């Protein structure tokens, strides 16, 4: 399992159901959500698919290495996910 910071920008409509759909996609591929922070609705720097505002969801997750590509392909198929970004994080060094 690899630890990632995942940021997802969702359309600003029916956000609760979109958050659940996003978490279902992650769960389908064996993802463990370590923490979940919703940053709420933010104005986008530029218009994406006709949207000026987006709902920002920030999560720390553990994902099996082979599942990241599958998650990305599922995110691409969902038109309500405007953008996403996976950032690999290093585990804290133990003493």
């Amino acid at each position: 399992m690899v630890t990632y910071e995942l940021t997802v920008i969702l359309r600003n409509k029916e956000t609760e159901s979109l958050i659940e759909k996003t978490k279902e996609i992650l769960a389908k591929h064996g993802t463990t959500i370590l923490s979940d922070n919703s940053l709420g609705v933010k104005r986008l720097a530029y218009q994406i698919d006709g949207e000026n505002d987006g709902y920002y969801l920030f999560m720390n997750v553990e994902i099996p290495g082979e599942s990241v590509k599958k998650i990305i392909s599922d995110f691409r198929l969902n038109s309500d996910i405007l953008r996403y970004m996976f950032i690999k994080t290093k585990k804290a060094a133990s003493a």
Side-chain angles (χ1 to χ4, degrees):
M1 295 284 253
V2 182
T3 305
Y4 292 92
E5 289 180 353
L6 171 61
T7 303
V8 181
I9 304 174
L10 303 169
R11 287 191 190 276
N12 189 20
K13 63 170 190 169
E14 303 173 11
T15 54
E16 291 301 319
S17 65
L18 295 178
I19 291 169
E20 290 304 314
K21 286 181 186 177
T22 303
K23 289 181 179 180
E24 286 173 9
I25 291 171
L26 294 172
K28 178 172 80 170
H29 297 290
T31 300
T32 304
I33 299 174
L34 303 175
S35 68
D36 177 7
N37 293 329
S38 294
L39 301 177
V41 177
K42 303 280 184 189
R43 183 138 183 94
L44 300 173
Y46 53 91
Q47 199 174 47
I48 303 173
D49 288 341
E51 298 288 332
N52 292 317
D53 300 320
Y55 187 87
Y56 281 71
L57 184 62
F58 178 79
M59 295 182 269
N60 288 316
V61 295
E62 281 187 347
I63 305 173
E66 67 278 357
S67 295
V68 175
K69 289 182 181 179
K70 295 174 186 175
I71 292 170
I72 289 173
S73 64
D74 281 354
F75 280 177
R76 286 183 180 160
L77 292 174
N78 190 335
S79 63
D80 291 323
I81 297 176
L82 299 175
R83 293 286 186 271
Y84 54 88
M85 181 172 56
F86 290 90
I87 299 174
K88 193 178 213 180
T89 59
K90 295 182 181 179
K91 292 188 177 182
S94 58

